[in-house]
Amino acid sequence: MMERFDYSEDIKACIGRNREEIVRLGRELFRFPEPGFREVKSNEILTSFLFRNGIPVQNGLALTGLRADLGSGDGYHIALVADMDALLIKTGDRELAIHSCGHSVQTAVLAGVMKMLKESGLVDRLGGTVSFIAAPAEEFIDLEYRKELVREGKIRYLSGKQNLIADGVFDDIDCVISMHINGDSGTLFDVGSALAGFMVKRAVFTGQAAHSGAAPHLGRNALHGASLCMDAIAYMKDQFPKEAGLSLHPVLTSVSGGVNIIPDRAVLESYIRANTLDQLLEAGEKFDRCAIHCAKALGLECAIGNETGYMPLKQSDALNTVVLRQMKKLCGDDAIVRNVVSGASGDVGDLGYLLPTVQFGFSGVKGRIHSGDFAIADEENAYIRTAQVVLGTVCELLANPDLQVRNGDFAERKAYYLKRWLRQDSGR
């Protein structure tokens, strides 16, 4: 298609002026890895960077998150969304934080794009609004700490984006642009990938203890209920097609009793993953039925605990068309991977349910993602080409109203999301 506004020279000039500063910001953030809802130093670094460049910041969102806005507040509204948190890696008897999922790159690149939009005046010239939203706590870890924050009333949910959504931070947004590191080598980008959704189940079987030698018939074996349930779950998997991507691997995490005592308590826990929301919810309901009815069959009680995870990510095809066009300005088709179906999950899936969303992937690391040997190896691709793709996508969307996609059902979807997914009316 013909672009109605030639911004290529603006982007080239912006990248030339800011190349070193974006990389420097990324390196600084990488040196200060912090797990979810503890991103104090990361917040300080980003806030300082934005303020120095004349961009006001709204702080304290979902405890440690922030938002910065450019533009009139009218017209098409694009959110550039980055994760802030790091992972916790066990090394011997120590647990260390490390940015082994590349979130420091996201935040540096998108903060850098905001600086370039500000100094070039592109948003003012093109119209519309661009917001940078740095979200805490994407990694689903350190849950006891997060649950304590919930008990203290400091957060409501265990994920950063879930709190931001519930608090209305995305209510005025039309679309979301994000990106994430991938582990590829030999390519530069991926586009149109799908992420699985997940939920966490905990089934507690309760029976009656008894002497296993003298009077086992007086007991009700809770372990038998958990074992029977595992068989039922295995059979239940056959009720889903392969493309559902159902992943369900229950683990027995606690059993009472001893070799001469009939166990009166057994705990079965499992993640449930699936590629679509409907299939994920269906699998959750079937898990509950397996647990409850296996318990009843043996005269046991069963209590089921539910932990809300993340929704599957379905990306916007229309937005990805624009992203792909910007990638092709930097590389050939053979350097771009399309439509990867991943078993991984992220809370960007929750945004994708509510708003037109893209999260493209980029290469440039050595070592394994989520491991202690992770490092940024190709700064040119991780920081600079990625920034060019984002900046070009923002400009093309603002310059071409016919490319601007919105979700007219946002209010209805958010109401469903709060009630059905976050269970906001459940007293949680």
PDB file of all heavy atoms in Angstrom, residues 387-408:
ATOM      1  N   ALA A 387      13.572  -1.341  17.745  1.00  0.00           N
ATOM      2  CA  ALA A 387      13.062   0.023  17.909  1.00  0.00           C
ATOM      3  C   ALA A 387      12.559   0.578  16.576  1.00  0.00           C
ATOM      4  O   ALA A 387      11.533   1.279  16.524  1.00  0.00           O
ATOM      5  CB  ALA A 387      14.152   0.924  18.481  1.00  0.00           C
ATOM      6  N   GLN A 388      13.258   0.259  15.479  1.00  0.00           N
ATOM      7  CA  GLN A 388      12.811   0.717  14.165  1.00  0.00           C
ATOM      8  C   GLN A 388      11.462   0.121  13.789  1.00  0.00           C
ATOM      9  O   GLN A 388      10.606   0.808  13.226  1.00  0.00           O
ATOM     10  CB  GLN A 388      13.868   0.360  13.111  1.00  0.00           C
ATOM     11  CG  GLN A 388      15.124   1.209  13.191  1.00  0.00           C
ATOM     12  CD  GLN A 388      16.164   0.764  12.176  1.00  0.00           C
ATOM     13  OE1 GLN A 388      16.997  -0.094  12.461  1.00  0.00           O
ATOM     14  NE2 GLN A 388      16.108   1.320  10.982  1.00  0.00           N
ATOM     15  N   VAL A 389      11.273  -1.161  14.096  1.00  0.00           N
ATOM     16  CA  VAL A 389       9.989  -1.802  13.793  1.00  0.00           C
ATOM     17  C   VAL A 389       8.867  -1.136  14.576  1.00  0.00           C
ATOM     18  O   VAL A 389       7.799  -0.813  14.025  1.00  0.00           O
ATOM     19  CB  VAL A 389      10.044  -3.311  14.106  1.00  0.00           C
ATOM     20  CG1 VAL A 389       8.649  -3.936  14.009  1.00  0.00           C
ATOM     21  CG2 VAL A 389      10.993  -4.023  13.150  1.00  0.00           C
ATOM     22  N   VAL A 390       9.084  -0.908  15.872  1.00  0.00           N
ATOM     23  CA  VAL A 390       8.038  -0.288  16.700  1.00  0.00           C
ATOM     24  C   VAL A 390       7.751   1.136  16.235  1.00  0.00           C
ATOM     25  O   VAL A 390       6.582   1.523  16.055  1.00  0.00           O
ATOM     26  CB  VAL A 390       8.448  -0.295  18.186  1.00  0.00           C
ATOM     27  CG1 VAL A 390       7.413   0.463  19.018  1.00  0.00           C
ATOM     28  CG2 VAL A 390       8.578  -1.725  18.701  1.00  0.00           C
ATOM     29  N   LEU A 391       8.797   1.912  16.034  1.00  0.00           N
ATOM     30  CA  LEU A 391       8.615   3.308  15.629  1.00  0.00           C
ATOM     31  C   LEU A 391       7.912   3.392  14.276  1.00  0.00           C
ATOM     32  O   LEU A 391       6.995   4.199  14.080  1.00  0.00           O
ATOM     33  CB  LEU A 391       9.972   4.003  15.581  1.00  0.00           C
ATOM     34  CG  LEU A 391       9.988   5.521  15.389  1.00  0.00           C
ATOM     35  CD1 LEU A 391       9.143   6.228  16.437  1.00  0.00           C
ATOM     36  CD2 LEU A 391      11.429   6.037  15.430  1.00  0.00           C
ATOM     37  N   GLY A 392       8.304   2.539  13.340  1.00  0.00           N
ATOM     38  CA  GLY A 392       7.651   2.535  12.035  1.00  0.00           C
ATOM     39  C   GLY A 392       6.202   2.114  12.114  1.00  0.00           C
ATOM     40  O   GLY A 392       5.333   2.681  11.426  1.00  0.00           O
ATOM     41  N   THR A 393       5.902   1.125  12.965  1.00  0.00           N
ATOM     42  CA  THR A 393       4.514   0.665  13.127  1.00  0.00           C
ATOM     43  C   THR A 393       3.647   1.770  13.714  1.00  0.00           C
ATOM     44  O   THR A 393       2.518   2.010  13.242  1.00  0.00           O
ATOM     45  CB  THR A 393       4.475  -0.575  14.038  1.00  0.00           C
ATOM     46  OG1 THR A 393       5.244  -1.627  13.436  1.00  0.00           O
ATOM     47  CG2 THR A 393       3.044  -1.054  14.243  1.00  0.00           C
ATOM     48  N   VAL A 394       4.148   2.461  14.735  1.00  0.00           N
ATOM     49  CA  VAL A 394       3.394   3.565  15.340  1.00  0.00           C
ATOM     50  C   VAL A 394       3.090   4.634  14.303  1.00  0.00           C
ATOM     51  O   VAL A 394       1.948   5.111  14.172  1.00  0.00           O
ATOM     52  CB  VAL A 394       4.173   4.158  16.530  1.00  0.00           C
ATOM     53  CG1 VAL A 394       3.538   5.471  16.990  1.00  0.00           C
ATOM     54  CG2 VAL A 394       4.234   3.175  17.685  1.00  0.00           C
ATOM     55  N   CYS A 395       4.098   5.026  13.543  1.00  0.00           N
ATOM     56  CA  CYS A 395       3.901   6.085  12.549  1.00  0.00           C
ATOM     57  C   CYS A 395       2.931   5.665  11.447  1.00  0.00           C
ATOM     58  O   CYS A 395       2.066   6.444  11.042  1.00  0.00           O
ATOM     59  CB  CYS A 395       5.247   6.469  11.934  1.00  0.00           C
ATOM     60  SG  CYS A 395       6.354   7.343  13.060  1.00  0.00           S
ATOM     61  N   GLU A 396       3.059   4.423  10.980  1.00  0.00           N
ATOM     62  CA  GLU A 396       2.163   3.974   9.912  1.00  0.00           C
ATOM     63  C   GLU A 396       0.715   3.915  10.388  1.00  0.00           C
ATOM     64  O   GLU A 396      -0.209   4.300   9.655  1.00  0.00           O
ATOM     65  CB  GLU A 396       2.598   2.606   9.395  1.00  0.00           C
ATOM     66  CG  GLU A 396       1.799   2.156   8.177  1.00  0.00           C
ATOM     67  CD  GLU A 396       2.316   0.884   7.534  1.00  0.00           C
ATOM     68  OE1 GLU A 396       3.419   0.440   7.890  1.00  0.00           O
ATOM     69  OE2 GLU A 396       1.591   0.334   6.683  1.00  0.00           O
ATOM     70  N   LEU A 397       0.502   3.480  11.627  1.00  0.00           N
ATOM     71  CA  LEU A 397      -0.868   3.423  12.158  1.00  0.00           C
ATOM     72  C   LEU A 397      -1.452   4.820  12.334  1.00  0.00           C
ATOM     73  O   LEU A 397      -2.616   5.064  11.990  1.00  0.00           O
ATOM     74  CB  LEU A 397      -0.882   2.668  13.487  1.00  0.00           C
ATOM     75  CG  LEU A 397      -0.694   1.153  13.406  1.00  0.00           C
ATOM     76  CD1 LEU A 397      -0.539   0.573  14.808  1.00  0.00           C
ATOM     77  CD2 LEU A 397      -1.867   0.495  12.690  1.00  0.00           C
ATOM     78  N   LEU A 398      -0.673   5.728  12.875  1.00  0.00           N
ATOM     79  CA  LEU A 398      -1.194   7.082  13.082  1.00  0.00           C
ATOM     80  C   LEU A 398      -1.416   7.813  11.762  1.00  0.00           C
ATOM     81  O   LEU A 398      -2.323   8.646  11.656  1.00  0.00           O
ATOM     82  CB  LEU A 398      -0.228   7.884  13.966  1.00  0.00           C
ATOM     83  CG  LEU A 398      -0.081   7.416  15.414  1.00  0.00           C
ATOM     84  CD1 LEU A 398       0.882   8.332  16.178  1.00  0.00           C
ATOM     85  CD2 LEU A 398      -1.427   7.363  16.134  1.00  0.00           C
ATOM     86  N   ALA A 399      -0.595   7.509  10.756  1.00  0.00           N
ATOM     87  CA  ALA A 399      -0.691   8.211   9.474  1.00  0.00           C
ATOM     88  C   ALA A 399      -1.809   7.677   8.587  1.00  0.00           C
ATOM     89  O   ALA A 399      -2.221   8.355   7.637  1.00  0.00           O
ATOM     90  CB  ALA A 399       0.637   8.106   8.726  1.00  0.00           C
ATOM     91  N   ASN A 400      -2.314   6.468   8.874  1.00  0.00           N
ATOM     92  CA  ASN A 400      -3.290   5.829   7.994  1.00  0.00           C
ATOM     93  C   ASN A 400      -4.517   5.379   8.784  1.00  0.00           C
ATOM     94  O   ASN A 400      -4.535   4.264   9.328  1.00  0.00           O
ATOM     95  CB  ASN A 400      -2.656   4.618   7.306  1.00  0.00           C
ATOM     96  CG  ASN A 400      -1.502   5.007   6.404  1.00  0.00           C
ATOM     97  OD1 ASN A 400      -1.695   5.437   5.274  1.00  0.00           O
ATOM     98  ND2 ASN A 400      -0.282   4.872   6.923  1.00  0.00           N
ATOM     99  N   PRO A 401      -5.532   6.211   8.877  1.00  0.00           N
ATOM    100  CA  PRO A 401      -6.729   5.856   9.657  1.00  0.00           C
ATOM    101  C   PRO A 401      -7.382   4.545   9.238  1.00  0.00           C
ATOM    102  O   PRO A 401      -8.003   3.874  10.071  1.00  0.00           O
ATOM    103  CB  PRO A 401      -7.668   7.041   9.415  1.00  0.00           C
ATOM    104  CG  PRO A 401      -6.747   8.189   9.115  1.00  0.00           C
ATOM    105  CD  PRO A 401      -5.605   7.577   8.344  1.00  0.00           C
ATOM    106  N   ASP A 402      -7.239   4.152   7.968  1.00  0.00           N
ATOM    107  CA  ASP A 402      -7.863   2.910   7.525  1.00  0.00           C
ATOM    108  C   ASP A 402      -7.179   1.675   8.111  1.00  0.00           C
ATOM    109  O   ASP A 402      -7.743   0.565   8.045  1.00  0.00           O
ATOM    110  CB  ASP A 402      -7.866   2.828   5.997  1.00  0.00           C
ATOM    111  CG  ASP A 402      -6.484   3.032   5.394  1.00  0.00           C
ATOM    112  OD1 ASP A 402      -5.827   4.014   5.772  1.00  0.00           O
ATOM    113  OD2 ASP A 402      -6.067   2.208   4.563  1.00  0.00           O
ATOM    114  N   LEU A 403      -6.004   1.843   8.700  1.00  0.00           N
ATOM    115  CA  LEU A 403      -5.302   0.728   9.332  1.00  0.00           C
ATOM    116  C   LEU A 403      -5.583   0.627  10.825  1.00  0.00           C
ATOM    117  O   LEU A 403      -5.155  -0.331  11.476  1.00  0.00           O
ATOM    118  CB  LEU A 403      -3.784   0.879   9.134  1.00  0.00           C
ATOM    119  CG  LEU A 403      -3.278   0.883   7.695  1.00  0.00           C
ATOM    120  CD1 LEU A 403      -1.768   1.097   7.677  1.00  0.00           C
ATOM    121  CD2 LEU A 403      -3.639  -0.416   6.980  1.00  0.00           C
ATOM    122  N   GLN A 404      -6.291   1.576  11.357  1.00  0.00           N
ATOM    123  CA  GLN A 404      -6.487   1.663  12.803  1.00  0.00           C
ATOM    124  C   GLN A 404      -7.614   0.735  13.252  1.00  0.00           C
ATOM    125  O   GLN A 404      -8.776   0.961  12.944  1.00  0.00           O
ATOM    126  CB  GLN A 404      -6.782   3.114  13.195  1.00  0.00           C
ATOM    127  CG  GLN A 404      -5.623   4.047  12.897  1.00  0.00           C
ATOM    128  CD  GLN A 404      -5.968   5.514  13.106  1.00  0.00           C
ATOM    129  OE1 GLN A 404      -7.098   5.857  13.486  1.00  0.00           O
ATOM    130  NE2 GLN A 404      -5.008   6.387  12.873  1.00  0.00           N
ATOM    131  N   VAL A 405      -7.259  -0.310  13.965  1.00  0.00           N
ATOM    132  CA  VAL A 405      -8.243  -1.283  14.444  1.00  0.00           C
ATOM    133  C   VAL A 405      -8.542  -1.027  15.916  1.00  0.00           C
ATOM    134  O   VAL A 405      -7.664  -0.724  16.710  1.00  0.00           O
ATOM    135  CB  VAL A 405      -7.751  -2.726  14.237  1.00  0.00           C
ATOM    136  CG1 VAL A 405      -7.750  -3.065  12.762  1.00  0.00           C
ATOM    137  CG2 VAL A 405      -6.368  -2.934  14.831  1.00  0.00           C
ATOM    138  N   ARG A 406      -9.811  -1.149  16.270  1.00  0.00           N
ATOM    139  CA  ARG A 406     -10.265  -0.948  17.645  1.00  0.00           C
ATOM    140  C   ARG A 406     -11.149  -2.128  18.040  1.00  0.00           C
ATOM    141  O   ARG A 406     -11.671  -2.841  17.187  1.00  0.00           O
ATOM    142  CB  ARG A 406     -11.074   0.349  17.786  1.00  0.00           C
ATOM    143  CG  ARG A 406     -10.308   1.631  17.505  1.00  0.00           C
ATOM    144  CD  ARG A 406     -11.254   2.832  17.554  1.00  0.00           C
ATOM    145  NE  ARG A 406     -10.586   4.104  17.530  1.00  0.00           N
ATOM    146  CZ  ARG A 406     -10.226   4.742  16.427  1.00  0.00           C
ATOM    147  NH1 ARG A 406     -10.484   4.196  15.238  1.00  0.00           N
ATOM    148  NH2 ARG A 406      -9.627   5.922  16.489  1.00  0.00           N
ATOM    149  N   ASN A 407     -11.343  -2.292  19.327  1.00  0.00           N
ATOM    150  CA  ASN A 407     -12.297  -3.291  19.808  1.00  0.00           C
ATOM    151  C   ASN A 407     -13.519  -2.561  20.355  1.00  0.00           C
ATOM    152  O   ASN A 407     -13.495  -2.028  21.466  1.00  0.00           O
ATOM    153  CB  ASN A 407     -11.673  -4.162  20.900  1.00  0.00           C
ATOM    154  CG  ASN A 407     -12.610  -5.276  21.338  1.00  0.00           C
ATOM    155  OD1 ASN A 407     -13.727  -5.405  20.833  1.00  0.00           O
ATOM    156  ND2 ASN A 407     -12.171  -6.086  22.270  1.00  0.00           N
ATOM    157  N   GLY A 408     -14.584  -2.555  19.577  1.00  0.00           N
ATOM    158  CA  GLY A 408     -15.802  -1.877  20.000  1.00  0.00           C
ATOM    159  C   GLY A 408     -16.515  -2.572  21.136  1.00  0.00           C
ATOM    160  O   GLY A 408     -17.417  -2.008  21.754  1.00  0.00           O
TER     161      GLY A 408
END
